[in-house]
Amino acid sequence: MKLLFCDNSYRNLINFRSEIIGHFLSDDHDVVIVAPDDCVSSNNGGYKYVAVDMERCGMNPIRDFKYFLSLLRTYKNERPDYIFHYTIKPNIYGSLAAKILGIPSTAMVTGMGYAFNHNDLRSKIAKVLYKIALGFNQNVLVLNSGNLEKLLELGIVKKDKVILLEGGEGVNLEKFK
């Protein structure tokens, strides 16, 4: 199987999810990582890395549309069997790209962040986009009951799609005490 992991940070994806990626690689899956090139690193992990341009914190619609197009192009070229999205922009734009191409995906809500802690126009737009995009995923994974309750309370995800990972997602707790 070819699995693709998409995040808003190459460094964070490798730093926090190397155990998960390593597990899939050891099971003979092909792994592709898609993220902005935000660190100096040599890829010795056995996976393929595709760098994409992304503005992590801004809400420039032109830059976000370019990011969406780059994900669409990357997903079309890579043709993974399954995609895992992490963080808000990959969850939104990656989920839309996966839906357009008919590739099943899962979104990981790693935290509530700005969109859920404010009530300005920016936050409202993000919530609407989240609600649309998360509906395209086979599952939405959350790491704590507070996030689960907030997503359900706001009507952003349906109860039958959201999964609470009570024991975490496999981050190495010896490395991150």
Side-chain angles (χ1 to χ4, degrees):
M1 241 180 133
K2 188 174 193 180
L3 304 172
L4 190 146
F5 291 81
C6 183
D7 201 333
N8 71 358
S9 167
Y10 176 70
R11 179 188 173 280
N12 288 344
L13 185 61
I14 297 306
N15 193 34
F16 296 117
R17 296 179 178 88
S18 61
E19 305 280 331
I20 298 164
I21 292 165
H23 169 77
F24 285 119
L25 288 168
S26 70
D27 276 353
D28 290 327
H29 296 290
D30 292 326
V31 174
V32 178
I33 292 176
V34 176
D37 187 5
D38 60 354
C39 71
V40 176
S41 174
S42 60
N43 175 359
N44 296 323
Y47 51 83
K48 179 178 181 180
Y49 171 56
V50 178
V52 291
D53 186 34
M54 178 184 133
E55 186 177 66
R56 286 179 64 189
C57 298
M59 284 193 64
N60 179 321
I62 294 169
R63 294 217 41 202
D64 284 355
F65 186 67
K66 286 180 180 179
Y67 172 64
F68 165 73
L69 290 178
S70 72
L71 291 181
L72 193 62
R73 188 171 36 257
T74 300
Y75 293 3
K76 187 176 181 179
N77 290 339
E78 292 298 328
R79 294 308 293 175
D81 296 298
Y82 205 90
I83 301 172
F84 294 94
H85 296 109
Y86 293 85
T87 67
I88 190 164
K89 285 191 180 185
N91 281 343
I92 292 171
Y93 300 114
S95 296
L96 292 171
K99 174 66 175 174
I100 288 169
L101 295 171
I103 303 168
S105 64
T106 288
M108 167 63 83
V109 178
T110 56
M112 299 313 277
Y114 182 90
F116 297 94
N117 295 319
H118 295 83
N119 204 25
D120 58 8
L121 180 62
R122 223 173 112 171
S123 172
K124 289 176 183 175
I125 291 169
K127 287 174 190 168
V128 169
L129 290 173
Y130 233 172
K131 182 175 183 170
I132 293 167
L134 292 183
F136 296 139
N137 289 277
Q138 279 56 47
N139 297 295
V140 176
L141 306 177
V142 296
L143 298 175
N144 64 60
S145 58
N147 290 351
L148 171 66
E149 291 167 13
K150 190 71 163 176
L151 290 170
L152 292 174
E153 171 191 321
L154 295 172
I156 290 175
V157 294
K158 293 182 181 178
K159 191 173 185 173
D160 64 335
K161 279 195 177 191
V162 68
I163 298 170
L164 173 62
L165 297 177
E166 294 183 63
E169 63 171 312
V171 172
N172 184 337
L173 296 180
E174 287 302 311
K175 184 177 175 183
F176 300 100
K177 292 187 179 202

